[in-house]
Amino acid sequence: MPTPWYQESITDESEILSSRVRLARNIKKYPFRKTITPVGALTMVTEATQAIESAGENRFFLKIDMNTLNQTEQAVFQEKHIVSPEFISGKLPKGLMLSRDENISVMLNEEDHVRIQAIKPGEGLSLAYETAGQIDDLLEEHLEFAFSAEYGYLTACPTNTGTGLRASYMLHLPCLSKTVDLSKTVLPQLTKVGVTLRGIHGEGTSSMGNIFQISNQNTLGKSETDIILGLQNVTHTVIQKEQQARENILSTNRSQIEDIVYRAYGILTNSRMISASEALDLLSDIRLGYITGLLAQPKPAKQIYQIMMEIQPGHLQRTAGTEMSEQERDIKRSEYLRQIFM
Amino acid sequence: MPTPWYQESITDESEILSSRVRLARNIKKYPFRKTITPVGALTMVTEATQAIESAGENRFFLKIDMNTLNQTEQAVFQEKHIVSPEFISGKLPKGLMLSRDENISVMLNEEDHVRIQAIKPGEGLSLAYETAGQIDDLLEEHLEFAFSAEYGYLTACPTNTGTGLRASYMLHLPCLSKTVDLSKTVLPQLTKVGVTLRGIHGEGTSSMGNIFQISNQNTLGKSETDIILGLQNVTHTVIQKEQQARENILSTNRSQIEDIVYRAYGILTNSRMISASEALDLLSDIRLGYITGLLAQPKPAKQIYQIMMEIQPGHLQRTAGTEMSEQERDIKRSEYLRQIFM
């Protein structure tokens, strides 16, 4: 079985941690999210599930029954970016088809009837688009999607109408974050070209661990290829800014950065309780230490980005096999991190 | 040669780091500090120096010429509490006689003509008083001190008149500092019984490293023995409060304290630049770790209190053999601390 994207061995020095493509589709014969009834939703989910199964794709896909998942399991899916917080909180019947390698997911009855998502490690946006497109084609053989010759794919929220495509990168920008206020300097420039930058968990969330999600805002009036290319170009510019900031810091504040990086190492290898938010920031500093070569300690066997995922509440509780209070998690998290880095 | 008090091996678990006694005396035939001329001061300093020398005490005492000391050497004396900041900044002729083991110093022309000081490691207040008294007796054989039958020894500032005795302990109060505001809870109670509590460098300085100097405020109307006993009793109460606070913390917040202690260890063994103030606070946490047994790491060969002294600017620069900028000191301090604890 292929490894999940978050375990794949990428160069751990890239600013791009992962690439993701999401396609929003709705099935023509069902009302959209706001007006669909519970019974309608259930029928729709069943039909879409069968579309995947009848194409023989259940060889690759697991049907996940969201209702039988406990809170911890749901949180794990969310922390892996396999499902959205909105999908988890949604009360209407819903379905999740997940590829066995966890790199492709199809959320049924999230904001739209069908949301196809493909994630690849590092810079794999074209590949992710190709993968999502294959699932899209497969579903279209069995389902008629709401489509307008004038607008393209119709969606529950007009911001997704057209291609229904949201392409995004997860970026690690430790030096830019330390030197400028991204929301005031970089973000306005991106907005002008239809691209946005958000915290690790998407809209309305703040950045943690200096990780940002960069994605296209516009889905209408551009071809899929143009959207992908546009995002790649803009991301390239942001990465150049990050690298420039890194060079500046290293040439003018080398001691300070060395200090930051080693303190992060000292705390992660010694703390006895640590919040997810602090741990993410320290892991970001450690990753910067490896990228710059400032941190001489041997690297752990896992990608820092994978560790960042595994210290989150759902993952921690799944590993422990039990639900835990916040303080219990903080203690468990510190144990896990000491074990990883010692 | 006896070891200096700060290198003596005391139980590193006592709240009392050192004991100090200071006697303020003035020579009758010279005007007090405010009115003495530079020539008068020089004559006075010379006469007092000769009094020590003529008693043959130059076997034990070094005559230190303050004018030939550079800033670093002066700072070292101050950091060791051998001289006061006021003594260093004083512009009039002054003299310093220092016992070869550095445990006794006589400042000539500080606020008073003669200030005899004896320091002992740990709880050694009676011993320090005895030692200072011996020097006092010795000087009185050759000098006539200003003395009033009604008031006792006369001093430049009336707060020292009477016994001229200031007895003090240097206390490490990490748990009390973490749990209460000492200036609002403990200090008012002490003031009522004529005792005060100050930061590490005396009046007007803030506490660093949770180290406090507790001393008698009143010098008049009580015998020397009563002052010493009174301070010992009050200090005993403060220590009980500290121990109570420690027990409370350990029984209710053990994980947090363990975390604090280990983080301090992690930062001290990894930082690449560190201020004196931060280092003192972390050393305080590490000392707490040893006292409570929470910190399992092997103890360094030196007392934490000695390390606290050696990371201060004067000591650092003397060790390096050169004056250094603040940033250079912060880097050097982190190197020194890593070396001590690794």
mmCIF file of all heavy atoms in Angstrom, chain A residues 255-256 258-259 262-263 265-267 269-275 278 282 297 327 331, chain B residues 255-256 258-259 262-263 265-267 269-275 278 282 297 327 331:
data_model
loop_
_atom_site.group_PDB
_atom_site.id
_atom_site.type_symbol
_atom_site.label_atom_id
_atom_site.label_comp_id
_atom_site.label_asym_id
_atom_site.label_seq_id
_atom_site.Cartn_x
_atom_site.Cartn_y
_atom_site.Cartn_z
ATOM 1 N N SER A 255 23.533 34.967 15.676
ATOM 2 C CA SER A 255 23.556 34.513 17.076
ATOM 3 C C SER A 255 22.145 34.378 17.641
ATOM 4 O O SER A 255 21.841 33.411 18.335
ATOM 5 C CB SER A 255 24.336 35.496 17.944
ATOM 6 O OG SER A 255 25.643 35.617 17.481
ATOM 7 N N GLN A 256 21.315 35.373 17.329
ATOM 8 C CA GLN A 256 19.947 35.317 17.856
ATOM 9 C C GLN A 256 19.201 34.095 17.322
ATOM 10 O O GLN A 256 18.460 33.435 18.050
ATOM 11 C CB GLN A 256 19.139 36.571 17.491
ATOM 12 C CG GLN A 256 19.435 37.771 18.357
ATOM 13 C CD GLN A 256 20.542 38.637 17.781
ATOM 14 O OE1 GLN A 256 21.429 38.128 17.081
ATOM 15 N NE2 GLN A 256 20.515 39.921 18.069
ATOM 16 N N GLU A 258 20.504 31.310 16.141
ATOM 17 C CA GLU A 258 21.100 30.117 16.738
ATOM 18 C C GLU A 258 20.528 29.910 18.150
ATOM 19 O O GLU A 258 20.196 28.796 18.545
ATOM 20 C CB GLU A 258 22.617 30.298 16.795
ATOM 21 C CG GLU A 258 23.369 28.990 16.817
ATOM 22 C CD GLU A 258 24.869 29.199 16.888
ATOM 23 O OE1 GLU A 258 25.327 30.360 16.894
ATOM 24 O OE2 GLU A 258 25.580 28.189 16.939
ATOM 25 N N ASP A 259 20.425 31.011 18.881
ATOM 26 C CA ASP A 259 19.887 30.947 20.237
ATOM 27 C C ASP A 259 18.443 30.448 20.228
ATOM 28 O O ASP A 259 18.073 29.557 20.989
ATOM 29 C CB ASP A 259 19.980 32.346 20.870
ATOM 30 C CG ASP A 259 19.540 32.353 22.323
ATOM 31 O OD1 ASP A 259 20.059 31.530 23.090
ATOM 32 O OD2 ASP A 259 18.690 33.177 22.676
ATOM 33 N N TYR A 262 18.334 26.665 19.352
ATOM 34 C CA TYR A 262 18.809 25.766 20.410
ATOM 35 C C TYR A 262 17.918 25.808 21.645
ATOM 36 O O TYR A 262 17.727 24.801 22.323
ATOM 37 C CB TYR A 262 20.274 26.070 20.766
ATOM 38 C CG TYR A 262 21.202 25.270 19.894
ATOM 39 C CD1 TYR A 262 21.708 25.805 18.714
ATOM 40 C CD2 TYR A 262 21.518 23.952 20.214
ATOM 41 C CE1 TYR A 262 22.530 25.049 17.886
ATOM 42 C CE2 TYR A 262 22.334 23.195 19.404
ATOM 43 C CZ TYR A 262 22.846 23.742 18.247
ATOM 44 O OH TYR A 262 23.647 22.995 17.437
ATOM 45 N N ARG A 263 17.377 26.980 21.953
ATOM 46 C CA ARG A 263 16.427 27.044 23.071
ATOM 47 C C ARG A 263 15.228 26.155 22.775
ATOM 48 O O ARG A 263 14.724 25.447 23.658
ATOM 49 C CB ARG A 263 15.946 28.472 23.290
ATOM 50 C CG ARG A 263 16.925 29.320 24.085
ATOM 51 C CD ARG A 263 16.481 30.772 24.077
ATOM 52 N NE ARG A 263 17.447 31.587 24.773
ATOM 53 C CZ ARG A 263 17.253 32.105 25.997
ATOM 54 N NH1 ARG A 263 16.111 31.940 26.602
ATOM 55 N NH2 ARG A 263 18.192 32.804 26.579
ATOM 56 N N TYR A 265 15.175 23.526 20.985
ATOM 57 C CA TYR A 265 15.625 22.149 21.195
ATOM 58 C C TYR A 265 15.691 21.838 22.702
ATOM 59 O O TYR A 265 15.230 20.783 23.149
ATOM 60 C CB TYR A 265 16.994 21.946 20.538
ATOM 61 C CG TYR A 265 17.529 20.556 20.714
ATOM 62 C CD1 TYR A 265 17.087 19.515 19.905
ATOM 63 C CD2 TYR A 265 18.450 20.273 21.718
ATOM 64 C CE1 TYR A 265 17.558 18.224 20.087
ATOM 65 C CE2 TYR A 265 18.922 18.985 21.907
ATOM 66 C CZ TYR A 265 18.475 17.962 21.090
ATOM 67 O OH TYR A 265 18.944 16.695 21.279
ATOM 68 N N GLY A 266 16.249 22.777 23.465
ATOM 69 C CA GLY A 266 16.386 22.586 24.913
ATOM 70 C C GLY A 266 15.040 22.414 25.595
ATOM 71 O O GLY A 266 14.895 21.570 26.491
ATOM 72 N N ILE A 267 14.067 23.196 25.181
ATOM 73 C CA ILE A 267 12.743 23.103 25.811
ATOM 74 C C ILE A 267 12.035 21.818 25.388
ATOM 75 O O ILE A 267 11.485 21.097 26.211
ATOM 76 C CB ILE A 267 11.901 24.355 25.489
ATOM 77 C CG1 ILE A 267 12.548 25.593 26.116
ATOM 78 C CG2 ILE A 267 10.478 24.183 26.000
ATOM 79 C CD1 ILE A 267 11.904 26.908 25.715
ATOM 80 N N THR A 269 13.255 19.038 24.515
ATOM 81 C CA THR A 269 13.867 17.826 25.064
ATOM 82 C C THR A 269 13.797 17.795 26.588
ATOM 83 O O THR A 269 14.254 16.834 27.200
ATOM 84 C CB THR A 269 15.346 17.707 24.635
ATOM 85 O OG1 THR A 269 16.001 18.958 24.907
ATOM 86 C CG2 THR A 269 15.474 17.398 23.158
ATOM 87 N N ASN A 270 13.246 18.841 27.192
ATOM 88 C CA ASN A 270 13.209 18.876 28.649
ATOM 89 C C ASN A 270 11.860 19.173 29.282
ATOM 90 O O ASN A 270 11.667 18.856 30.452
ATOM 91 C CB ASN A 270 14.230 19.896 29.178
ATOM 92 C CG ASN A 270 15.634 19.348 29.155
ATOM 93 O OD1 ASN A 270 16.011 18.547 30.012
ATOM 94 N ND2 ASN A 270 16.419 19.723 28.154
ATOM 95 N N SER A 271 10.953 19.795 28.528
ATOM 96 C CA SER A 271 9.707 20.213 29.167
ATOM 97 C C SER A 271 8.949 18.994 29.677
ATOM 98 O O SER A 271 9.112 17.882 29.167
ATOM 99 C CB SER A 271 8.839 21.010 28.199
ATOM 100 O OG SER A 271 8.048 20.139 27.416
ATOM 101 N N ARG A 272 8.144 19.209 30.701
ATOM 102 C CA ARG A 272 7.341 18.135 31.281
ATOM 103 C C ARG A 272 5.858 18.336 30.994
ATOM 104 O O ARG A 272 5.029 17.496 31.326
ATOM 105 C CB ARG A 272 7.561 18.059 32.795
ATOM 106 C CG ARG A 272 8.921 17.495 33.266
ATOM 107 C CD ARG A 272 9.503 16.499 32.340
ATOM 108 N NE ARG A 272 10.571 15.679 32.888
ATOM 109 C CZ ARG A 272 11.761 15.520 32.304
ATOM 110 N NH1 ARG A 272 12.045 16.156 31.168
ATOM 111 N NH2 ARG A 272 12.652 14.708 32.818
ATOM 112 N N MET A 273 5.504 19.472 30.433
ATOM 113 C CA MET A 273 4.148 19.692 29.938
ATOM 114 C C MET A 273 4.222 20.823 28.923
ATOM 115 O O MET A 273 4.913 21.816 29.142
ATOM 116 C CB MET A 273 3.147 19.972 31.060
ATOM 117 C CG MET A 273 3.546 21.034 32.057
ATOM 118 S SD MET A 273 2.665 20.883 33.634
ATOM 119 C CE MET A 273 0.983 20.740 33.081
ATOM 120 N N ILE A 274 3.531 20.637 27.817
ATOM 121 C CA ILE A 274 3.639 21.645 26.769
ATOM 122 C C ILE A 274 2.356 21.665 25.941
ATOM 123 O O ILE A 274 1.798 20.619 25.617
ATOM 124 C CB ILE A 274 4.890 21.369 25.889
ATOM 125 C CG1 ILE A 274 5.193 22.544 24.969
ATOM 126 C CG2 ILE A 274 4.764 20.072 25.097
ATOM 127 C CD1 ILE A 274 6.590 22.534 24.403
ATOM 128 N N SER A 275 1.889 22.888 25.646
ATOM 129 C CA SER A 275 0.672 23.039 24.856
ATOM 130 C C SER A 275 0.981 22.754 23.389
ATOM 131 O O SER A 275 2.139 22.837 22.964
ATOM 132 C CB SER A 275 0.126 24.458 25.000
ATOM 133 O OG SER A 275 0.983 25.366 24.323
ATOM 134 N N GLU A 278 2.476 25.999 21.719
ATOM 135 C CA GLU A 278 3.904 26.248 21.995
ATOM 136 C C GLU A 278 4.771 25.215 21.279
ATOM 137 O O GLU A 278 5.798 25.556 20.686
ATOM 138 C CB GLU A 278 4.199 26.216 23.501
ATOM 139 C CG GLU A 278 5.654 26.592 23.797
ATOM 140 C CD GLU A 278 6.094 26.370 25.243
ATOM 141 O OE1 GLU A 278 5.295 25.857 26.040
ATOM 142 O OE2 GLU A 278 7.259 26.703 25.543
ATOM 143 N N LEU A 282 7.855 25.803 18.624
ATOM 144 C CA LEU A 282 9.214 25.305 18.872
ATOM 145 C C LEU A 282 9.642 24.339 17.769
ATOM 146 O O LEU A 282 10.802 24.348 17.335
ATOM 147 C CB LEU A 282 9.287 24.630 20.248
ATOM 148 C CG LEU A 282 9.025 25.554 21.449
ATOM 149 C CD1 LEU A 282 9.041 24.767 22.751
ATOM 150 C CD2 LEU A 282 10.035 26.698 21.511
ATOM 151 N N GLN A 297 22.130 18.858 16.099
ATOM 152 C CA GLN A 297 21.602 17.620 16.664
ATOM 153 C C GLN A 297 21.127 16.689 15.552
ATOM 154 O O GLN A 297 20.653 17.137 14.534
ATOM 155 C CB GLN A 297 20.428 17.934 17.588
ATOM 156 C CG GLN A 297 20.751 18.919 18.687
ATOM 157 C CD GLN A 297 21.769 18.388 19.671
ATOM 158 O OE1 GLN A 297 21.871 17.187 19.856
ATOM 159 N NE2 GLN A 297 22.546 19.267 20.274
ATOM 160 N N GLN A 327 -4.521 19.064 30.550
ATOM 161 C CA GLN A 327 -3.235 18.916 31.257
ATOM 162 C C GLN A 327 -2.606 17.547 30.985
ATOM 163 O O GLN A 327 -1.394 17.439 30.796
ATOM 164 C CB GLN A 327 -3.421 19.134 32.768
ATOM 165 C CG GLN A 327 -2.099 18.987 33.513
ATOM 166 C CD GLN A 327 -2.164 19.412 34.964
ATOM 167 O OE1 GLN A 327 -3.007 20.189 35.352
ATOM 168 N NE2 GLN A 327 -1.244 18.898 35.773
ATOM 169 N N ILE A 331 1.102 16.881 29.246
ATOM 170 C CA ILE A 331 2.142 16.008 29.812
ATOM 171 C C ILE A 331 2.522 14.927 28.793
ATOM 172 O O ILE A 331 3.702 14.695 28.518
ATOM 173 C CB ILE A 331 1.655 15.379 31.139
ATOM 174 C CG1 ILE A 331 1.520 16.470 32.215
ATOM 175 C CG2 ILE A 331 2.597 14.277 31.606
ATOM 176 C CD1 ILE A 331 0.868 16.020 33.510
ATOM 177 N N SER B 255 3.558 18.730 38.674
ATOM 178 C CA SER B 255 3.888 18.686 37.241
ATOM 179 C C SER B 255 4.400 20.034 36.754
ATOM 180 O O SER B 255 5.372 20.099 35.998
ATOM 181 C CB SER B 255 2.658 18.304 36.420
ATOM 182 O OG SER B 255 2.191 17.050 36.809
ATOM 183 N N GLN B 256 3.743 21.110 37.176
ATOM 184 C CA GLN B 256 4.164 22.444 36.735
ATOM 185 C C GLN B 256 5.578 22.754 37.210
ATOM 186 O O GLN B 256 6.370 23.309 36.458
ATOM 187 C CB GLN B 256 3.225 23.538 37.265
ATOM 188 C CG GLN B 256 1.925 23.695 36.482
ATOM 189 C CD GLN B 256 0.815 22.834 37.058
ATOM 190 O OE1 GLN B 256 1.064 21.773 37.648
ATOM 191 N NE2 GLN B 256 -0.418 23.274 36.889
ATOM 192 N N GLU B 258 7.932 20.609 38.094
ATOM 193 C CA GLU B 258 8.852 19.734 37.368
ATOM 194 C C GLU B 258 9.124 20.334 35.980
ATOM 195 O O GLU B 258 10.263 20.368 35.511
ATOM 196 C CB GLU B 258 8.223 18.347 37.235
ATOM 197 C CG GLU B 258 9.250 17.263 37.049
ATOM 198 C CD GLU B 258 8.625 15.884 36.906
ATOM 199 O OE1 GLU B 258 7.373 15.760 36.938
ATOM 200 O OE2 GLU B 258 9.396 14.924 36.752
ATOM 201 N N ASP B 259 8.064 20.817 35.358
ATOM 202 C CA ASP B 259 8.199 21.428 34.032
ATOM 203 C C ASP B 259 9.099 22.667 34.084
ATOM 204 O O ASP B 259 10.002 22.822 33.270
ATOM 205 C CB ASP B 259 6.798 21.787 33.514
ATOM 206 C CG ASP B 259 6.833 22.336 32.109
ATOM 207 O OD1 ASP B 259 7.417 21.670 31.229
ATOM 208 O OD2 ASP B 259 6.296 23.436 31.884
ATOM 209 N N TYR B 262 12.805 21.598 34.658
ATOM 210 C CA TYR B 262 13.441 20.970 33.506
ATOM 211 C C TYR B 262 13.588 21.924 32.327
ATOM 212 O O TYR B 262 14.554 21.856 31.581
ATOM 213 C CB TYR B 262 12.694 19.695 33.090
ATOM 214 C CG TYR B 262 13.247 18.500 33.818
ATOM 215 C CD1 TYR B 262 12.693 18.074 35.015
ATOM 216 C CD2 TYR B 262 14.370 17.836 33.338
ATOM 217 C CE1 TYR B 262 13.222 17.005 35.711
ATOM 218 C CE2 TYR B 262 14.912 16.767 34.018
ATOM 219 C CZ TYR B 262 14.335 16.354 35.203
ATOM 220 O OH TYR B 262 14.876 15.305 35.893
ATOM 221 N N ARG B 263 12.617 22.811 32.168
ATOM 222 C CA ARG B 263 12.767 23.825 31.118
ATOM 223 C C ARG B 263 13.994 24.691 31.398
ATOM 224 O O ARG B 263 14.751 25.032 30.489
ATOM 225 C CB ARG B 263 11.534 24.728 31.041
ATOM 226 C CG ARG B 263 10.399 24.109 30.265
ATOM 227 C CD ARG B 263 9.130 24.939 30.439
ATOM 228 N NE ARG B 263 8.038 24.316 29.723
ATOM 229 C CZ ARG B 263 7.539 24.750 28.579
ATOM 230 N NH1 ARG B 263 8.019 25.835 28.012
ATOM 231 N NH2 ARG B 263 6.558 24.119 27.979
ATOM 232 N N TYR B 265 16.630 23.840 32.973
ATOM 233 C CA TYR B 265 17.796 23.034 32.626
ATOM 234 C C TYR B 265 17.974 22.991 31.102
ATOM 235 O O TYR B 265 19.083 23.166 30.586
ATOM 236 C CB TYR B 265 17.627 21.617 33.188
ATOM 237 C CG TYR B 265 18.782 20.717 32.855
ATOM 238 C CD1 TYR B 265 19.956 20.754 33.604
ATOM 239 C CD2 TYR B 265 18.716 19.835 31.776
ATOM 240 C CE1 TYR B 265 21.030 19.946 33.286
ATOM 241 C CE2 TYR B 265 19.789 19.023 31.456
ATOM 242 C CZ TYR B 265 20.943 19.085 32.212
ATOM 243 O OH TYR B 265 22.006 18.291 31.886
ATOM 244 N N GLY B 266 16.872 22.800 30.388
ATOM 245 C CA GLY B 266 16.936 22.728 28.924
ATOM 246 C C GLY B 266 17.455 24.017 28.305
ATOM 247 O O GLY B 266 18.249 23.988 27.357
ATOM 248 N N ILE B 267 17.024 25.141 28.842
ATOM 249 C CA ILE B 267 17.455 26.425 28.278
ATOM 250 C C ILE B 267 18.909 26.696 28.646
ATOM 251 O O ILE B 267 19.715 27.076 27.793
ATOM 252 C CB ILE B 267 16.528 27.565 28.765
ATOM 253 C CG1 ILE B 267 15.114 27.360 28.201
ATOM 254 C CG2 ILE B 267 17.078 28.931 28.328
ATOM 255 C CD1 ILE B 267 14.073 28.316 28.751
ATOM 256 N N THR B 269 21.252 24.665 29.214
ATOM 257 C CA THR B 269 22.188 23.775 28.527
ATOM 258 C C THR B 269 22.141 23.956 27.010
ATOM 259 O O THR B 269 22.876 23.286 26.291
ATOM 260 C CB THR B 269 21.896 22.294 28.856
ATOM 261 O OG1 THR B 269 20.503 22.053 28.651
ATOM 262 C CG2 THR B 269 22.257 21.974 30.290
ATOM 263 N N ASN B 270 21.282 24.844 26.537
ATOM 264 C CA ASN B 270 21.170 25.001 25.088
ATOM 265 C C ASN B 270 21.236 26.426 24.561
ATOM 266 O O ASN B 270 21.521 26.606 23.383
ATOM 267 C CB ASN B 270 19.858 24.354 24.597
ATOM 268 C CG ASN B 270 19.973 22.861 24.475
ATOM 269 O OD1 ASN B 270 20.572 22.340 23.545
ATOM 270 N ND2 ASN B 270 19.434 22.149 25.459
ATOM 271 N N SER B 271 20.948 27.410 25.417
ATOM 272 C CA SER B 271 20.888 28.772 24.891
ATOM 273 C C SER B 271 22.238 29.177 24.316
ATOM 274 O O SER B 271 23.283 28.657 24.716
ATOM 275 C CB SER B 271 20.450 29.750 25.974
ATOM 276 O OG SER B 271 21.562 30.189 26.705
ATOM 277 N N ARG B 272 22.235 30.082 23.366
ATOM 278 C CA ARG B 272 23.455 30.591 22.742
ATOM 279 C C ARG B 272 23.718 32.036 23.132
ATOM 280 O O ARG B 272 24.735 32.613 22.778
ATOM 281 C CB ARG B 272 23.357 30.477 21.218
ATOM 282 C CG ARG B 272 23.448 29.040 20.651
ATOM 283 C CD ARG B 272 24.349 28.161 21.414
ATOM 284 N NE ARG B 272 24.739 26.924 20.763
ATOM 285 C CZ ARG B 272 24.557 25.710 21.275
ATOM 286 N NH1 ARG B 272 23.901 25.555 22.408
ATOM 287 N NH2 ARG B 272 25.031 24.637 20.670
ATOM 288 N N MET B 273 22.780 32.657 23.823
ATOM 289 C CA MET B 273 22.999 33.973 24.412
ATOM 290 C C MET B 273 21.957 34.145 25.511
ATOM 291 O O MET B 273 20.790 33.804 25.328
ATOM 292 C CB MET B 273 22.940 35.103 23.376
ATOM 293 C CG MET B 273 21.770 35.096 22.427
ATOM 294 S SD MET B 273 22.076 36.060 20.924
ATOM 295 C CE MET B 273 22.732 37.555 21.579
ATOM 296 N N ILE B 274 22.411 34.658 26.654
ATOM 297 C CA ILE B 274 21.479 34.757 27.779
ATOM 298 C C ILE B 274 21.882 35.922 28.671
ATOM 299 O O ILE B 274 23.064 36.123 28.950
ATOM 300 C CB ILE B 274 21.420 33.406 28.546
ATOM 301 C CG1 ILE B 274 20.263 33.400 29.539
ATOM 302 C CG2 ILE B 274 22.735 33.072 29.233
ATOM 303 C CD1 ILE B 274 19.883 32.003 30.007
ATOM 304 N N SER B 275 20.879 36.694 29.084
ATOM 305 C CA SER B 275 21.145 37.828 29.971
ATOM 306 C C SER B 275 21.411 37.325 31.389
ATOM 307 O O SER B 275 21.012 36.214 31.750
ATOM 308 C CB SER B 275 19.939 38.766 29.985
ATOM 309 O OG SER B 275 18.866 38.161 30.674
ATOM 310 N N GLU B 278 17.990 36.721 33.227
ATOM 311 C CA GLU B 278 17.308 35.464 32.883
ATOM 312 C C GLU B 278 18.069 34.270 33.459
ATOM 313 O O GLU B 278 17.471 33.342 33.997
ATOM 314 C CB GLU B 278 17.179 35.300 31.362
ATOM 315 C CG GLU B 278 16.348 34.059 31.020
ATOM 316 C CD GLU B 278 16.332 33.686 29.537
ATOM 317 O OE1 GLU B 278 16.990 34.384 28.732
ATOM 318 O OE2 GLU B 278 15.682 32.692 29.187
ATOM 319 N N LEU B 282 16.760 31.276 35.956
ATOM 320 C CA LEU B 282 16.807 29.859 35.587
ATOM 321 C C LEU B 282 17.666 29.060 36.582
ATOM 322 O O LEU B 282 17.332 27.931 36.935
ATOM 323 C CB LEU B 282 17.349 29.703 34.161
ATOM 324 C CG LEU B 282 16.476 30.330 33.058
ATOM 325 C CD1 LEU B 282 17.138 30.172 31.695
ATOM 326 C CD2 LEU B 282 15.082 29.713 33.038
ATOM 327 N N GLN B 297 19.296 15.417 36.982
ATOM 328 C CA GLN B 297 20.609 15.609 36.354
ATOM 329 C C GLN B 297 21.697 15.710 37.418
ATOM 330 O O GLN B 297 21.465 16.212 38.501
ATOM 331 C CB GLN B 297 20.614 16.911 35.536
ATOM 332 C CG GLN B 297 19.506 16.980 34.487
ATOM 333 C CD GLN B 297 19.666 15.947 33.406
ATOM 334 O OE1 GLN B 297 20.778 15.527 33.107
ATOM 335 N NE2 GLN B 297 18.561 15.504 32.827
ATOM 336 N N GLN B 327 26.144 42.116 24.326
ATOM 337 C CA GLN B 327 25.854 40.917 23.521
ATOM 338 C C GLN B 327 26.983 39.886 23.635
ATOM 339 O O GLN B 327 26.734 38.679 23.745
ATOM 340 C CB GLN B 327 25.617 41.283 22.051
ATOM 341 C CG GLN B 327 25.274 40.037 21.230
ATOM 342 C CD GLN B 327 24.838 40.336 19.815
ATOM 343 O OE1 GLN B 327 24.388 41.435 19.491
ATOM 344 N NE2 GLN B 327 24.956 39.354 18.938
ATOM 345 N N ILE B 331 26.616 36.019 25.073
ATOM 346 C CA ILE B 331 27.101 34.821 24.364
ATOM 347 C C ILE B 331 28.074 34.047 25.267
ATOM 348 O O ILE B 331 27.969 32.838 25.432
ATOM 349 C CB ILE B 331 27.763 35.217 23.026
ATOM 350 C CG1 ILE B 331 26.689 35.750 22.053
ATOM 351 C CG2 ILE B 331 28.515 34.040 22.405
ATOM 352 C CD1 ILE B 331 27.234 36.357 20.776
#
